[in-house]
Amino acid sequence: MKFTTVTAAAMVAALAAPAWAQDTKVIGVSIPAATHGWAGGMNFHAQEAVDRLEEVYPGLDFVLATASDAAKQVDDIEDMLATRNISALVVLPFESEPLTGPVQAVAESGAWVTVVDRGLAVEGIEDLYVAGDNSGFGTVSGEFMVSAMPEGGDIVVFRGIPTTIDNERVAGFEAAIEGSGINVLAMEHGNWNRDDSFTVMEDFLSKYDKIDAVWASDDDMAIGVLAAIEAAGRDDIQFVLGGAGMKEMIARTRDGDAMIPANVTYPPAMIATAIEMTAVGLTSTAPVSGTFVIGSVLVTQENAAEFYYADSPF
Amino acid sequence: MAMAQMTQTAKISVDLKVLGPILALVALIIVGALLNGNFLSAGNISNVLSRSAFIGIIAVGMTFVITSGGLDLSVGSMAAFIAGLMILVMNGLLPSMGAGWPLVMVGMVTAIVAGTAAGFINGFLITNMRIEAFIVTLGTMGIYRSLVTWLADGGTLSLDFGMRSVIRPIYFDGILGVSWPILVFALVAICGEVVMRRAAFGRHAAAVGSNDQVARYSSVNVNRVRMMTYVMLGVLVGIATIMYVPRLGSASPSTGVLWELEAIAAVIIGGTMLKGGFGRVWGTVIGVLILSLIDNILNLTDGVSPYLNGAIQGVIIILAVILQRDKKAEG
């Protein structure tokens, strides 16, 4: 008797759900807050994608939440699941481990899950993974260094906040420059921060009489590095390679600044790709599940104009 | 002091209390000089002193706030917000005023006015609305951090390029090879020391921090003294920001993160009591230099994994405070 009641209830729910869903489906978007340049750009593109898609798909509703740390992000996702009845979740995890459980709970509730940039600790939870290529970011950077310094030379390397992302980038870079005659004098964490990188570069300049080039690995860090070099009046440094494609730096590459000959992309707009693909998946029969890797591309003076986004804050 | 001379052991502990921060600083300088030949070069010393100036100027103000029994957690966010405001005002007025010193002056006035106002708001909420300083400044810390993120649209506020070459000399130039931030820091520290030791205000701040009831009976205007310490700190945050903006010409949500804790740590390393009642401005200056030198030395050497920088800082901060702990205060 009990069994039939449950079955009946389930059947009612199963019949009712699609009928309700035809009115509006809610897509939850959970991302880290804009605490540094790249995240700021990512927030901008997320907001823009949400605004645009709400116009395009009247049947979709979006909830955008930004979290200042992993714990807050877990709360956001739990709230979305409990109160907004989301049909899909697009999440750029702050950290992989703490977010794995809550995102798994969303997947088990039957909602579509799209994970962006950082993977979860357990494989197979997400329906769609839109990934940045951190190892490739390091490889492309390293290959550019090798081509720009055919005779080799001494460089210093700036690392980001100690994370898996940073480790993968540096590993890719080291593999690419191996055996090329490029010698890494020192590596230090500039934490993707201008001020930290400025002071670290000042100290590198005191420590080493001759530095041929700098892999700043990020445009915020490159700005700090360039300011320190300029203040010290040193002319032994031939160039600084940043990364992630901040628009001011792309503009300098485009305009032929010899100190910034290139950039390597790690586009914050990947969040827009993820939201867009999720919307397509919910509203059409086009298959979008799987893994979508957004490659890191080398930007030089020739193609820099294509990578300059005038409206973006990053 | 008279008590201290009564027994030999007490005398040594008091001496250590005064000498502790100085000994730690000297030890660091010796370690630095041994590890790297460039450590004592004029360039490196100038770098370290210039970059200490932001936290240093703020920490002098923080010394007065802590001495009078208060605390201000909002200074880092406040500096970021003021920096953002200063950049926006200068960028906004650039078309009408043109790049030049009048516009720099407007930027400076903006920073000082904003700092004064921010300090006044903290002081008003703490003294007149009688809310705990910790809670008030925790609140304003979040408010200013959000405001700068909002002003910058999550990205970075950058000073217009034409203006940057005009304003750059404020950080990088100076008199006789001594850069402006160092000179301003020195001036602020000397004034702070004089006010703490010689002026009625310094005595009143210590009295309020020691026992505000007794201070009130001694006809000290407790609320006014407290209010003044916060306003003074706000003004000093404004001055620090004036030094900060010319360096990179930008402000972002990551500007000034954890400056409040660095300033508080410097104040405590310098011998000021966290619970109030006693403050030492010259000690704060030494505390600031100790914190900057640790970073500098770790960057100049290869021996230590950069992952451990924070741990080494923590150990040295605790050691510096152990050296000067006050045995008599127990029980």
Side-chain angles (χ1 to χ4, degrees):
Chain A
M1 195 61 197
K2 208 172 195 176
F3 177 69
T4 41
T5 321
V6 174
T7 325
M11 280 176 70
V12 170
L15 286 170
W20 172 85
Q22 266 167 6
D23 295 328
T24 39
K25 284 184 180 173
V26 181
I27 297 182
V29 180
S30 170
I31 53 178
T35 48
H36 60 274
W38 189 88
M42 191 262 299
N43 274 252
F44 168 84
H45 288 292
Q47 188 63 55
E48 201 194 42
V50 164
D51 291 346
R52 190 179 63 240
L53 293 173
E54 271 181 341
E55 300 254 319
V56 176
Y57 301 105
L60 289 183
D61 204 2
F62 290 87
V63 193
L64 178 65
T66 63
S68 49
D69 58 61
K72 166 85 167 50
Q73 195 174 22
V74 171
D75 295 345
D76 285 347
I77 293 173
E78 283 172 357
D79 288 350
M80 283 180 192
L81 191 58
T83 64
R84 298 301 301 265
N85 204 356
I86 49 172
S87 311
L89 172 71
V90 179
V91 58
L92 197 157
F94 225 101
E95 288 165 52
S96 304
E97 298 287 340
L99 267 304
T100 299
V103 175
Q104 192 159 25
V106 173
E108 278 161 8
S109 79
W112 176 277
V113 172
T114 303
V115 174
V116 191
D117 189 24
R118 274 155 255 190
L120 297 171
V122 178
E123 278 180 35
I125 294 174
E126 69 273 4
D127 299 283
L128 169 64
Y129 181 23
V130 176
D133 185 5
N134 284 303
S135 175
F137 178 92
T139 310
V140 172
S141 304
E143 283 166 354
F144 173 78
M145 281 284 192
V146 173
S147 70
M149 305 169 76
E151 267 105 65
D154 294 326
I155 66 167
V156 290
V157 171
F158 283 72
R159 306 187 55 160
I161 294 168
T163 45
T164 322
I165 299 174
D166 183 57
N167 292 343
E168 285 177 6
R169 289 180 177 183
V170 172
F173 181 80
E174 284 178 324
I177 63 166
E178 203 176 302
S180 66
I182 293 177
N183 171 36
V184 177
L185 292 169
M187 290 195 188
E188 193 72 48
H189 289 278
N191 302 324
W192 292 316
N193 178 304
R194 296 179 181 196
D195 293 312
D196 291 358
S197 309
F198 178 85
T199 51
V200 169
M201 190 63 201
E202 274 190 339
D203 290 345
F204 278 158
L205 290 168
S206 302
K207 190 175 173 186
Y208 302 108
D209 295 329
K210 185 168 172 294
I211 299 170
D212 294 313
V214 179
W215 184 42
S217 81
D218 174 82
D219 286 334
D220 268 317
M221 293 203 281
I223 286 176
V225 167
L226 288 165
I229 294 172
E230 194 188 344
R234 289 269 292 259
D235 50 12
D236 49 326
I237 295 114
Q238 295 156 24
F239 67 91
V240 175
L241 179 62
M246 181 188 293
K247 68 174 180 183
E248 287 85 0
M249 299 298 271
I250 293 281
R252 288 172 76 169
T253 302
R254 181 191 63 196
D255 301 338
D257 188 329
M259 279 300 274
I260 308 143
N263 209 306
V264 180
T265 62
Y266 193 80
M270 67 175 70
I271 188 74
T273 313
I275 297 172
E276 192 109 25
M277 288 173 78
T278 307
V280 168
L282 280 196
T283 53
S284 77
T285 51
V288 291
S289 56
T291 300
F292 188 87
V293 178
I294 294 174
S296 285
V297 184
L298 183 70
V299 180
T300 56
Q301 194 179 354
E302 285 75 48
N303 62 354
E306 295 164 34
F307 293 91
Y308 185 82
Y309 308 110
D311 294 339
S312 166
F314 185 65
Chain B
M1 283 296 154
M3 284 284 288
Q5 277 149 12
M6 287 167 83
T7 66
Q8 192 62 29
T9 46
K11 189 177 179 190
I12 288 168
S13 80
V14 167
D15 281 347
L16 265 184
K17 206 178 158 214
V18 177
L19 287 177
I22 301 177
L23 288 178
L25 181 65
V26 170
L28 274 175
I29 292 174
I30 293 172
V31 168
L34 290 177
L35 284 171
N36 192 302
N38 288 327
F39 177 73
L40 291 175
S41 67
N44 191 52
I45 291 173
S46 171
N47 284 345
V48 171
L49 290 176
S50 302
R51 75 175 74 140
S52 306
F54 315 134
I55 304 281
I57 292 168
I58 294 171
V60 169
M62 190 68 86
T63 311
F64 284 88
V65 168
I66 292 179
T67 300
S68 67
L71 194 68
D72 193 339
L73 296 174
S74 69
V75 290
S77 306
M78 197 194 288
F81 173 63
I82 296 173
L85 203 62
M86 197 174 150
I87 290 170
L88 281 181
V89 166
M90 285 195 284
N91 282 352
L93 291 175
L94 186 61
S96 54
M97 292 183 66
W101 280 99
L103 188 51
V104 174
M105 297 307 285
V106 171
M108 288 181 172
V109 171
T110 306
I112 302 286
V113 169
T116 312
F120 180 81
I121 292 169
N122 279 342
F124 178 80
L125 291 170
I126 292 161
T127 56
N128 292 49
M129 308 304 285
R130 302 186 176 281
I131 312 173
E132 279 290 325
F134 188 93
I135 296 304
V136 169
T137 58
L138 189 66
T140 50
M141 171 171 94
I143 292 169
Y144 295 133
R145 183 65 62 199
S146 289
L147 284 177
V148 71
T149 311
W150 177 69
L151 286 179
D153 216 356
T156 303
L157 288 166
S158 292
L159 195 56
D160 196 274
F161 205 77
M163 198 54 208
R164 234 178 269 184
S165 50
V166 179
I167 204 171
R168 242 182 129 259
I170 296 179
Y171 184 82
F172 291 103
D173 284 5
I175 302 173
L176 299 173
V178 183
S179 72
W180 288 113
I182 302 176
L183 292 170
V184 172
F185 178 24
L187 191 68
V188 166
I190 291 167
C191 291
E193 178 68 22
V194 169
V195 169
M196 185 66 96
R197 289 281 150 263
R198 302 263 169 260
F201 177 67
R203 311 274 162 147
H204 288 173
V208 168
S210 187
N211 188 328
D212 57 347
Q213 285 302 326
V214 173
R216 198 165 279 127
Y217 298 145
S218 318
S219 71
V220 172
N221 188 338
V222 172
N223 274 359
R224 211 188 112 246
V225 170
R226 288 220 167 107
M227 171 66 93
M228 281 307 295
T229 60
Y230 288 102
V231 172
M232 193 174 117
L233 177 54
V235 171
L236 289 173
V237 170
I239 293 174
T241 310
I242 292 173
M243 300 287 121
Y244 171 82
V245 168
R247 187 168 81 171
L248 296 175
S250 65
S252 72
S254 64
T255 299
V257 169
L258 295 183
W259 280 10
E260 59 281 347
L261 292 187
E262 276 191 53
I264 293 168
V267 169
I268 303 309
I269 290 172
T272 298
M273 291 204 287
L274 186 55
K275 61 178 194 266
F278 177 75
R280 203 155 58 191
V281 173
W282 66 261
T284 298
V285 173
I286 290 187
V288 170
L289 295 180
I290 288 175
L291 289 178
S292 303
L293 278 183
I294 297 169
D295 264 340
N296 180 241
I297 291 171
L298 289 170
N299 283 341
L300 288 176
T301 51
D302 300 314
V304 185
S305 160
Y307 295 134
L308 288 174
N309 284 10
I312 290 167
Q313 279 182 359
V315 168
I316 293 177
I317 291 170
I318 292 170
L319 277 181
V321 177
I322 286 177
L323 276 178
Q324 46 166 313
R325 73 193 188 284
D326 189 353
K327 287 213 176 77
K328 284 178 294 176
E330 291 167 13

